Amino acid sequence: MKYPITLDALEVLDAIDRKGSFAAAGNELFRVPSAISYTVQKLEQDLDVVLFRKEGRKAVLTQAGQVLLEQGREILEATERLAVATKKTHSGFEPVFNIAIDSILSFEFIYPLIIEFYKVLPDIEINIYEEVLGGAQEAIVSNRADLVIGAGTETTTSPGIKYHKIGEIEWLFAVAPGHELTKAPLPLSQLLIEQHRFIVVRDSARNQAPQSRRVFSKRPVLSVPSVTEKINAQCLGLGVGFLPAHRIQVQLELGQLIALPVENTIPIEIINMAWKTSNKGKVLRWFIEKLSGYDFI
């Protein structure tokens, strides 16, 4: 099927609208006015619409012309992005790069890095996602992400995935001031802890059974979407639970949370960056080099 709307015709409409006349559009596009007029007349004939009306010496778009140009400009911009993406892919740079960050980490570290990246490669599309528990591992296995930051090491490591240790997480059992557990004998027993509501972060995995960790409760839990919201909910006294120590230092200092020792200490957890070894893209290499040795905790 042949479509009458071509990129060339859209460029002509765009130039006429910006410059205000067929003659001025011809000067910008290095074409004689008759060629501009022919392009518009041919498009109007093929679509059976009127695209411009004269207001003095100025060419003004009709309502139909405005709709065509508005959406046509989106097509022109998309075409330009496609051309840039094609060139960058040819040179080894991924046109789109997806980063998944585990909720255990604050996102503050990534934005200065993005600023630095855009100074070098401003035309690459970067997508940042938050993942929780099994979602981080699933993101890299399923190619939902090119790079995962903050993933735990799988007990059965998936083939073709490289893990690079970036830190160790200490877990603290924390409650809000005034919680009845602050008056209980220490260290807290699991029998005592499990009588209280736990706040948990929902697993973001989409294709596997949801995971839960560090939950000792016989009561219905309060489920939240991220570690940030878990911290907020625990500060409000809505429940208890284990939190990464590096994420709650301010709350502990301000007295918004109180860390209590427990009988069975939660072991230190190693977190990693992870990526597919088959990915040889230059954007991935750039981020790996910048993040290696970075202090995340």
Side-chain angles (χ1 to χ4, degrees):
M1 182 177 181
K2 185 177 180 181
Y3 294 96
I5 303 174
T6 63
L7 293 178
D8 179 71
L10 293 176
E11 288 177 343
V12 168
L13 294 184
D14 175 62
I16 295 171
D17 180 64
R18 287 185 293 101
K19 295 299 181 178
S21 71
F22 285 34
N27 289 335
E28 178 175 280
L29 299 175
F30 302 103
R31 302 184 193 181
V32 296
S34 60
I36 299 295
S37 297
Y38 174 78
T39 299
V40 173
Q41 290 170 3
K42 181 69 166 59
L43 186 57
E44 289 179 326
Q45 180 181 344
D46 290 340
L47 295 176
D48 194 23
V49 298
V50 176
L51 299 173
F52 286 97
R53 67 175 184 273
K54 287 284 188 177
E55 289 187 2
R57 295 185 176 181
K58 190 173 183 180
V60 179
L61 284 166
T62 63
Q63 186 173 1
Q66 290 173 354
V67 170
L68 177 58
L69 181 56
E70 181 180 343
Q71 298 188 35
R73 280 175 171 155
E74 295 179 5
I75 294 173
L76 291 173
E77 291 171 1
T79 302
E80 184 177 357
R81 290 195 300 270
L82 178 60
V84 171
T86 302
K87 291 178 181 178
K88 290 200 174 294
T89 301
H90 178 71
S91 61
F93 289 97
E94 307 93 307
V96 179
F97 190 73
N98 299 314
I99 302 172
I101 301 176
D102 192 283
S103 188
I104 203 170
L105 296 173
S106 168
F107 278 42
E108 294 176 358
F109 75 91
I110 196 67
Y111 299 118
L113 195 62
I114 297 295
I115 292 172
E116 184 179 352
F117 178 82
Y118 280 153
K119 290 178 180 177
V120 181
L121 293 165
D123 296 322
I124 302 295
E125 179 180 327
I126 302 291
N127 296 311
I128 301 175
Y129 303 93
E130 185 171 36
E131 298 287 353
V132 180
L133 295 172
Q137 174 71 10
E138 185 184 88
I140 199 69
V141 171
S142 66
N143 296 314
R144 194 161 71 234
D146 300 296
L147 176 66
V148 170
I149 306 172
T153 303
E154 291 291 293
T155 52
T156 55
T157 304
S158 301
I161 297 178
K162 171 71 175 179
Y163 291 88
H164 176 81
K165 179 180 175 181
I166 60 174
E168 297 180 346
I169 301 294
E170 176 188 4
W171 292 94
L172 299 176
F173 183 80
V175 301
H179 193 281
E180 60 182 280
L181 284 177
T182 60
K183 301 175 183 178
L186 301 177
L188 299 174
S189 67
Q190 181 173 330
L191 183 63
L192 184 58
I193 290 174
E194 67 186 15
Q195 304 306 314
H196 296 270
R197 179 187 301 108
F198 265 62
I199 298 177
V200 301
V201 184
R202 286 191 298 275
D203 192 336
S204 63
R206 305 172 187 177
N207 303 313
Q208 61 187 30
Q211 301 178 20
S212 62
R213 299 174 190 167
R214 298 170 290 275
V215 179
F216 312 120
S217 181
K218 292 185 176 180
R219 297 185 58 186
V221 300
L222 171 61
S223 178
V224 295
S226 67
V227 170
T228 297
E229 294 309 314
K230 177 175 165 66
I231 294 170
N232 291 336
Q234 288 190 211
C235 285
L236 292 172
L238 296 175
V240 302
F242 291 89
L243 291 167
H246 73 284
R247 293 290 305 274
I248 59 171
Q249 291 307 305
V250 172
Q251 289 82 0
L252 293 174
E253 292 171 5
L254 294 176
Q256 297 171 337
L257 286 173
I258 297 174
L260 300 174
V262 296
E263 282 184 350
N264 298 316
T265 304
I266 298 295
I268 296 294
E269 181 178 352
I270 295 174
I271 58 171
N272 306 271
M273 287 193 297
W275 62 90
K276 286 279 185 72
T277 55
S278 59
N279 187 342
K280 306 300 182 183
K282 293 182 180 179
V283 176
L284 175 63
R285 295 299 121 192
W286 189 94
F287 276 98
I288 291 173
E289 290 175 8
K290 291 293 181 178
L291 290 168
S292 296
Y294 188 92
D295 185 11
F296 291 86
I297 309 303

